[in-house]
Amino acid sequence: MEPAENVSESWEENAEDWIAWTRAPDNDVFYRHFQQPAFARLVPRPGRRTVEIGCGEGRVGRWLAGRGHSVAGIDSSPTLVQSARAAGGYDELICGDAAHLPWEDGSFDAAVAFMVLHDMPVMPQAIRELARVLECGSPLCIAIVHPINRPPEQLADYFTEHRISDEVAQNGLRMNFVGINRPFEDYARELCEAGFVIEALHEPRPDPAAIEAAPALAAATRSPFFLHLRCRLFGQR
């Protein structure tokens, strides 16, 4: 399947498949045994209010709420927002565009963008909007596909954006992952220009217990699959 002209539209097209993929017991072992435990080391303690952009069907928001966060979420897919609302955990959920957040300046003291910035054609605007709705000094925690986690033919042209469409079958389920590969410099530039300072950068690797639980994770000990960042807002330069 070719990606839709708008990557966000593709996630709405694949929303039911994503809900089935992420909620099937122990299907997404990369999230359960690897990504979530690694990302937890970056996420701050609960504060006044946390915003999550690209909240999808809500698994990260539910996890944050379980840790005591008051979470507002936004996603462009009506189907995913409806599913997240039905599952609970959020104090507020909006179907909308991360490039035009509906909240007032300084409404939040933490933000999360988990595995979504590489799905957004409007990544720079989304980062600027996060800077606007965060109060100064607030953290932004990010997870993305590692920029070198690409097919060899795309690494040969690393500095050019590549729209990707990767259909995966597993445990009787199918999911078409659609997004945009970008060099890391693009993310760093937009974060810095929006007033963020990168204070932590992790290339997580699964530990032996994770590999024992899910042997497929072993490949991530040799080559980075994901990149995790914690940034802090200090105001635009």
Side-chain angles (χ1 to χ4, degrees):
M1 174 182 175
E2 291 298 318
E5 184 65 21
N6 187 314
V7 174
S8 297
E9 291 175 4
S10 295
W11 277 89
E12 171 60 16
E13 292 168 8
N14 294 291
E16 295 293 347
D17 287 344
W18 176 241
I19 294 167
W21 183 276
T22 192
R23 294 186 180 178
D26 217 25
N27 180 61
D28 192 349
V29 296
F30 281 88
Y31 175 75
R32 178 178 175 184
H33 297 291
F34 181 20
Q35 280 266 65
Q36 187 194 64
F39 196 67
R41 295 195 288 269
L42 289 179
V43 175
R45 294 179 180 177
R48 178 167 56 87
R49 203 171 189 219
T50 300
V51 60
E52 182 194 4
I53 64 167
C55 65
E57 59 74 51
R59 63 180 177 180
V60 174
R62 293 191 295 275
W63 171 72
L64 288 167
R67 292 168 62 96
H69 288 257
S70 173
V71 189
I74 185 169
D75 198 281
S76 64
S77 165
T79 301
L80 292 177
V81 169
Q82 181 181 13
S83 181
R85 183 173 288 118
Y90 291 86
D91 295 327
E92 182 181 8
L93 270 169
I94 291 175
C95 184
D97 185 354
H100 303 282
L101 297 179
W103 298 288
E104 296 181 356
D105 297 1
S107 296
F108 301 94
D109 61 356
V112 170
F114 184 85
M115 299 298 289
V116 295
L117 288 178
H118 53 269
D119 296 334
M120 295 182 177
V122 292
M123 178 269 293
Q125 295 94 313
I127 288 175
R128 288 196 291 270
E129 276 291 272
L130 284 171
R132 181 184 64 79
V133 301
L134 283 172
E135 61 185 31
C136 191
S138 299
L140 163 61
C141 299
I142 297 169
I144 58 173
V145 174
H146 199 291
I148 70 166
N149 184 10
R150 302 185 183 184
E153 65 273 15
Q154 293 182 7
L155 279 176
D157 192 11
Y158 171 80
F159 292 106
T160 300
E161 283 192 1
H162 294 275
R163 190 177 294 264
I164 57 100
S165 180
D166 185 18
E167 190 161 332
V168 181
Q170 181 174 287
N171 299 326
L173 301 171
R174 300 186 72 86
M175 179 60 198
N176 188 30
F177 292 92
V178 179
I180 300 172
N181 285 336
R182 300 180 174 96
F184 178 64
E185 180 181 4
D186 287 7
Y187 294 100
R189 180 184 62 250
E190 299 301 335
L191 287 164
C192 290
E193 289 184 357
F196 289 100
V197 172
I198 298 173
E199 63 179 17
L201 186 154
H202 297 165
E203 296 171 305
R205 285 167 285 179
D207 60 25
I211 296 171
E212 182 177 359
L217 298 179
T221 64
R222 299 184 295 273
S223 180
F225 281 25
F226 307 109
L227 187 65
H228 292 178
L229 307 169
R230 186 176 61 237
C231 311
R232 198 165 297 274
L233 182 66
F234 287 105
Q236 292 185 351
R237 296 179 178 178

